[in-house]
Amino acid sequence: MGYSLEVGAPYPKQVKWPKSAANLVLSEAYVEIIYAFDGLTSGERAAFNTGAAAFALVPGDRHLMWCYRFEAPTRPGTRPESLGWGDSPWEAHRQRDRVVGVPGRAGQPLPVYMVLVDSGTGIVEGLRFANLDEGLADALREAVARQLALPYDDAAASREIDAVYQRHPGTQSLLMEAAAGQLIPAFEN
């Protein structure tokens, strides 16, 4: 990454933030996943920063669906603070500001930098690092390679994404199609 991030400071690039989504930035050098949410509560920030994280991937031919959840532990009998389950589509051909790739080789875990941004203000609300296990990392590498092997066709990618949302009205349903998933403890190094 050619920039530094600081909690409480604006994200260093001008971005039109969605209200609730994850944006994957995949390059051969690093992976950054930016989670943008509007009106975050202190519990949601805690869930992102210190809670258990779960990820899953649903690959398509021209897109992939990134599924995520962050859940902070709470006292027995109380509802856990949580961000998720949520999902966001990603298309390799739409990432225009850097060469698309996924670091490492098959069978290797994947280090991921994660950023929580308030989509209303553009302020960084949390930073986190995790290692995706080999299965999820390889599923991501294969999904990206499959997309890059096909010519860019925005209409075909949109039809694929629409078909996924027709089959799965929510993330819980989408998880049944997931190629890989895992739970990652907070602040894994």
Side-chain angles (χ1 to χ4, degrees):
M1 295 179 351
Y3 47 89
S4 63
L5 298 168
E6 181 181 339
V7 173
Y11 188 83
K13 294 183 176 188
Q14 293 286 27
V15 176
K16 183 176 179 184
W17 299 107
K19 293 282 185 205
S20 177
N23 180 39
L24 282 69
V25 180
L26 305 177
S27 75
E28 292 178 354
Y30 68 93
V31 171
E32 178 182 30
I33 304 175
I34 306 160
Y35 297 92
F37 292 93
D38 192 27
L40 293 162
T41 67
S42 60
E44 290 168 333
R45 284 190 295 275
F48 178 85
N49 286 309
T50 62
F55 307 105
L57 173 73
V58 179
D61 289 331
R62 298 179 182 276
H63 82 288
L64 63 84
M65 299 297 286
W66 181 252
C67 303
Y68 52 88
R69 179 186 70 194
F70 299 92
E71 190 168 275
T74 58
R75 296 185 321 258
T78 62
R79 196 178 129 182
E81 293 288 350
S82 172
L83 279 175
W85 279 100
D87 59 79
S88 293
W90 182 86
E91 296 172 56
H93 294 290
R94 288 185 176 247
Q95 183 174 294
R96 303 201 189 280
D97 60 341
R98 63 190 50 86
V99 175
V100 174
V102 180
R105 295 187 317 265
Q108 291 183 330
L110 179 62
V112 175
Y113 301 96
M114 296 183 291
V115 183
L116 180 64
V117 174
D118 185 307
S119 61
T121 65
I123 300 295
V124 174
E125 298 284 344
L127 297 170
R128 185 170 178 161
F129 174 83
N131 276 313
L132 301 185
D133 75 8
E134 297 84 4
L136 186 54
D138 285 348
L140 183 59
R141 289 180 184 107
E142 290 166 13
V144 170
R146 182 174 34 246
Q147 286 185 50
L148 293 174
L150 294 172
Y152 177 61
D153 186 338
D154 188 52
S158 292
R159 284 190 301 274
E160 275 187 20
I161 293 166
D162 290 344
V164 169
Y165 283 127
Q166 288 293 321
R167 286 192 315 273
H168 302 287
T171 306
Q172 292 291 347
S173 173
L174 180 62
L175 290 171
M176 292 186 293
E177 249 184 78
Q182 71 179 138
L183 293 175
I184 300 175
F187 299 111
E188 182 176 322
N189 292 317

PDB file of all heavy atoms in Angstrom, residues 44-62:
ATOM      1  N   GLU A  44     -20.712  -1.783  17.106  1.00  0.00           N
ATOM      2  CA  GLU A  44     -20.307  -2.243  15.773  1.00  0.00           C
ATOM      3  C   GLU A  44     -18.820  -2.012  15.543  1.00  0.00           C
ATOM      4  O   GLU A  44     -18.132  -2.858  14.974  1.00  0.00           O
ATOM      5  CB  GLU A  44     -21.140  -1.550  14.699  1.00  0.00           C
ATOM      6  CG  GLU A  44     -22.587  -2.006  14.693  1.00  0.00           C
ATOM      7  CD  GLU A  44     -23.480  -1.134  13.841  1.00  0.00           C
ATOM      8  OE1 GLU A  44     -23.181   0.068  13.661  1.00  0.00           O
ATOM      9  OE2 GLU A  44     -24.498  -1.663  13.357  1.00  0.00           O
ATOM     10  N   ARG A  45     -18.314  -0.876  16.002  1.00  0.00           N
ATOM     11  CA  ARG A  45     -16.871  -0.625  15.897  1.00  0.00           C
ATOM     12  C   ARG A  45     -16.094  -1.656  16.715  1.00  0.00           C
ATOM     13  O   ARG A  45     -15.077  -2.179  16.266  1.00  0.00           O
ATOM     14  CB  ARG A  45     -16.541   0.792  16.331  1.00  0.00           C
ATOM     15  CG  ARG A  45     -16.910   1.847  15.305  1.00  0.00           C
ATOM     16  CD  ARG A  45     -16.355   3.226  15.644  1.00  0.00           C
ATOM     17  NE  ARG A  45     -16.928   3.780  16.852  1.00  0.00           N
ATOM     18  CZ  ARG A  45     -18.075   4.452  16.913  1.00  0.00           C
ATOM     19  NH1 ARG A  45     -18.778   4.661  15.820  1.00  0.00           N
ATOM     20  NH2 ARG A  45     -18.521   4.928  18.058  1.00  0.00           N
ATOM     21  N   ALA A  46     -16.577  -1.970  17.906  1.00  0.00           N
ATOM     22  CA  ALA A  46     -15.923  -2.979  18.743  1.00  0.00           C
ATOM     23  C   ALA A  46     -15.961  -4.352  18.075  1.00  0.00           C
ATOM     24  O   ALA A  46     -14.983  -5.099  18.124  1.00  0.00           O
ATOM     25  CB  ALA A  46     -16.578  -3.038  20.122  1.00  0.00           C
ATOM     26  N   ALA A  47     -17.081  -4.686  17.445  1.00  0.00           N
ATOM     27  CA  ALA A  47     -17.187  -5.965  16.746  1.00  0.00           C
ATOM     28  C   ALA A  47     -16.128  -6.067  15.656  1.00  0.00           C
ATOM     29  O   ALA A  47     -15.470  -7.097  15.507  1.00  0.00           O
ATOM     30  CB  ALA A  47     -18.588  -6.132  16.160  1.00  0.00           C
ATOM     31  N   PHE A  48     -15.950  -5.001  14.886  1.00  0.00           N
ATOM     32  CA  PHE A  48     -14.936  -5.015  13.836  1.00  0.00           C
ATOM     33  C   PHE A  48     -13.536  -5.103  14.426  1.00  0.00           C
ATOM     34  O   PHE A  48     -12.706  -5.895  13.978  1.00  0.00           O
ATOM     35  CB  PHE A  48     -15.037  -3.767  12.951  1.00  0.00           C
ATOM     36  CG  PHE A  48     -13.972  -3.714  11.891  1.00  0.00           C
ATOM     37  CD1 PHE A  48     -14.144  -4.368  10.687  1.00  0.00           C
ATOM     38  CD2 PHE A  48     -12.780  -3.031  12.105  1.00  0.00           C
ATOM     39  CE1 PHE A  48     -13.153  -4.349   9.721  1.00  0.00           C
ATOM     40  CE2 PHE A  48     -11.788  -3.003  11.140  1.00  0.00           C
ATOM     41  CZ  PHE A  48     -11.975  -3.659   9.941  1.00  0.00           C
ATOM     42  N   ASN A  49     -13.245  -4.284  15.414  1.00  0.00           N
ATOM     43  CA  ASN A  49     -11.883  -4.173  15.932  1.00  0.00           C
ATOM     44  C   ASN A  49     -11.436  -5.345  16.790  1.00  0.00           C
ATOM     45  O   ASN A  49     -10.249  -5.704  16.771  1.00  0.00           O
ATOM     46  CB  ASN A  49     -11.722  -2.874  16.726  1.00  0.00           C
ATOM     47  CG  ASN A  49     -11.670  -1.671  15.810  1.00  0.00           C
ATOM     48  OD1 ASN A  49     -10.916  -1.629  14.858  1.00  0.00           O
ATOM     49  ND2 ASN A  49     -12.498  -0.678  16.101  1.00  0.00           N
ATOM     50  N   THR A  50     -12.342  -5.957  17.560  1.00  0.00           N
ATOM     51  CA  THR A  50     -11.914  -6.986  18.506  1.00  0.00           C
ATOM     52  C   THR A  50     -12.733  -8.265  18.449  1.00  0.00           C
ATOM     53  O   THR A  50     -12.417  -9.221  19.146  1.00  0.00           O
ATOM     54  CB  THR A  50     -11.979  -6.449  19.959  1.00  0.00           C
ATOM     55  OG1 THR A  50     -13.332  -6.118  20.269  1.00  0.00           O
ATOM     56  CG2 THR A  50     -11.090  -5.245  20.127  1.00  0.00           C
ATOM     57  N   GLY A  51     -13.780  -8.295  17.652  1.00  0.00           N
ATOM     58  CA  GLY A  51     -14.658  -9.461  17.624  1.00  0.00           C
ATOM     59  C   GLY A  51     -14.156 -10.572  16.726  1.00  0.00           C
ATOM     60  O   GLY A  51     -13.172 -10.429  15.996  1.00  0.00           O
ATOM     61  N   ALA A  52     -14.861 -11.684  16.793  1.00  0.00           N
ATOM     62  CA  ALA A  52     -14.574 -12.806  15.903  1.00  0.00           C
ATOM     63  C   ALA A  52     -14.999 -12.413  14.490  1.00  0.00           C
ATOM     64  O   ALA A  52     -16.035 -11.791  14.292  1.00  0.00           O
ATOM     65  CB  ALA A  52     -15.337 -14.046  16.358  1.00  0.00           C
ATOM     66  N   ALA A  53     -14.184 -12.786  13.533  1.00  0.00           N
ATOM     67  CA  ALA A  53     -14.479 -12.483  12.134  1.00  0.00           C
ATOM     68  C   ALA A  53     -14.726 -13.782  11.390  1.00  0.00           C
ATOM     69  O   ALA A  53     -14.073 -14.793  11.649  1.00  0.00           O
ATOM     70  CB  ALA A  53     -13.317 -11.732  11.493  1.00  0.00           C
ATOM     71  N   ALA A  54     -15.679 -13.761  10.488  1.00  0.00           N
ATOM     72  CA  ALA A  54     -15.960 -14.910   9.635  1.00  0.00           C
ATOM     73  C   ALA A  54     -16.074 -14.413   8.201  1.00  0.00           C
ATOM     74  O   ALA A  54     -16.636 -13.354   7.955  1.00  0.00           O
ATOM     75  CB  ALA A  54     -17.248 -15.596  10.070  1.00  0.00           C
ATOM     76  N   PHE A  55     -15.522 -15.186   7.277  1.00  0.00           N
ATOM     77  CA  PHE A  55     -15.529 -14.815   5.869  1.00  0.00           C
ATOM     78  C   PHE A  55     -15.905 -16.025   5.033  1.00  0.00           C
ATOM     79  O   PHE A  55     -15.606 -17.155   5.395  1.00  0.00           O
ATOM     80  CB  PHE A  55     -14.141 -14.329   5.415  1.00  0.00           C
ATOM     81  CG  PHE A  55     -13.583 -13.250   6.274  1.00  0.00           C
ATOM     82  CD1 PHE A  55     -12.572 -13.516   7.173  1.00  0.00           C
ATOM     83  CD2 PHE A  55     -14.083 -11.970   6.195  1.00  0.00           C
ATOM     84  CE1 PHE A  55     -12.061 -12.527   7.982  1.00  0.00           C
ATOM     85  CE2 PHE A  55     -13.587 -10.970   7.000  1.00  0.00           C
ATOM     86  CZ  PHE A  55     -12.565 -11.247   7.904  1.00  0.00           C
ATOM     87  N   ALA A  56     -16.524 -15.771   3.902  1.00  0.00           N
ATOM     88  CA  ALA A  56     -16.835 -16.821   2.944  1.00  0.00           C
ATOM     89  C   ALA A  56     -16.815 -16.202   1.551  1.00  0.00           C
ATOM     90  O   ALA A  56     -16.974 -14.993   1.393  1.00  0.00           O
ATOM     91  CB  ALA A  56     -18.194 -17.435   3.236  1.00  0.00           C
ATOM     92  N   LEU A  57     -16.624 -17.047   0.578  1.00  0.00           N
ATOM     93  CA  LEU A  57     -16.504 -16.610  -0.807  1.00  0.00           C
ATOM     94  C   LEU A  57     -17.424 -17.456  -1.671  1.00  0.00           C
ATOM     95  O   LEU A  57     -17.439 -18.676  -1.551  1.00  0.00           O
ATOM     96  CB  LEU A  57     -15.056 -16.786  -1.257  1.00  0.00           C
ATOM     97  CG  LEU A  57     -14.742 -16.547  -2.714  1.00  0.00           C
ATOM     98  CD1 LEU A  57     -14.791 -15.056  -3.018  1.00  0.00           C
ATOM     99  CD2 LEU A  57     -13.379 -17.106  -3.049  1.00  0.00           C
ATOM    100  N   VAL A  58     -18.198 -16.797  -2.526  1.00  0.00           N
ATOM    101  CA  VAL A  58     -19.022 -17.495  -3.507  1.00  0.00           C
ATOM    102  C   VAL A  58     -18.524 -17.043  -4.879  1.00  0.00           C
ATOM    103  O   VAL A  58     -18.776 -15.907  -5.293  1.00  0.00           O
ATOM    104  CB  VAL A  58     -20.523 -17.175  -3.321  1.00  0.00           C
ATOM    105  CG1 VAL A  58     -21.357 -17.890  -4.376  1.00  0.00           C
ATOM    106  CG2 VAL A  58     -20.972 -17.553  -1.919  1.00  0.00           C
ATOM    107  N   PRO A  59     -17.773 -17.917  -5.569  1.00  0.00           N
ATOM    108  CA  PRO A  59     -17.215 -17.524  -6.859  1.00  0.00           C
ATOM    109  C   PRO A  59     -18.212 -17.687  -7.993  1.00  0.00           C
ATOM    110  O   PRO A  59     -19.061 -18.575  -7.973  1.00  0.00           O
ATOM    111  CB  PRO A  59     -16.046 -18.499  -7.037  1.00  0.00           C
ATOM    112  CG  PRO A  59     -16.454 -19.717  -6.269  1.00  0.00           C
ATOM    113  CD  PRO A  59     -17.317 -19.232  -5.133  1.00  0.00           C
ATOM    114  N   GLY A  60     -18.103 -16.807  -8.964  1.00  0.00           N
ATOM    115  CA  GLY A  60     -18.852 -16.910 -10.206  1.00  0.00           C
ATOM    116  C   GLY A  60     -17.843 -16.893 -11.347  1.00  0.00           C
ATOM    117  O   GLY A  60     -16.639 -16.885 -11.120  1.00  0.00           O
ATOM    118  N   ASP A  61     -18.326 -16.868 -12.564  1.00  0.00           N
ATOM    119  CA  ASP A  61     -17.404 -16.780 -13.696  1.00  0.00           C
ATOM    120  C   ASP A  61     -16.870 -15.365 -13.873  1.00  0.00           C
ATOM    121  O   ASP A  61     -15.703 -15.164 -14.162  1.00  0.00           O
ATOM    122  CB  ASP A  61     -18.100 -17.222 -14.992  1.00  0.00           C
ATOM    123  CG  ASP A  61     -18.349 -18.716 -15.021  1.00  0.00           C
ATOM    124  OD1 ASP A  61     -17.572 -19.464 -14.393  1.00  0.00           O
ATOM    125  OD2 ASP A  61     -19.326 -19.135 -15.665  1.00  0.00           O
ATOM    126  N   ARG A  62     -17.720 -14.362 -13.689  1.00  0.00           N
ATOM    127  CA  ARG A  62     -17.341 -12.970 -13.952  1.00  0.00           C
ATOM    128  C   ARG A  62     -17.428 -12.088 -12.709  1.00  0.00           C
ATOM    129  O   ARG A  62     -17.314 -10.875 -12.799  1.00  0.00           O
ATOM    130  CB  ARG A  62     -18.214 -12.392 -15.054  1.00  0.00           C
ATOM    131  CG  ARG A  62     -18.045 -13.131 -16.369  1.00  0.00           C
ATOM    132  CD  ARG A  62     -18.932 -12.554 -17.444  1.00  0.00           C
ATOM    133  NE  ARG A  62     -18.788 -13.300 -18.674  1.00  0.00           N
ATOM    134  CZ  ARG A  62     -17.835 -13.105 -19.571  1.00  0.00           C
ATOM    135  NH1 ARG A  62     -16.921 -12.178 -19.379  1.00  0.00           N
ATOM    136  NH2 ARG A  62     -17.789 -13.841 -20.669  1.00  0.00           N
TER     137      ARG A  62
END
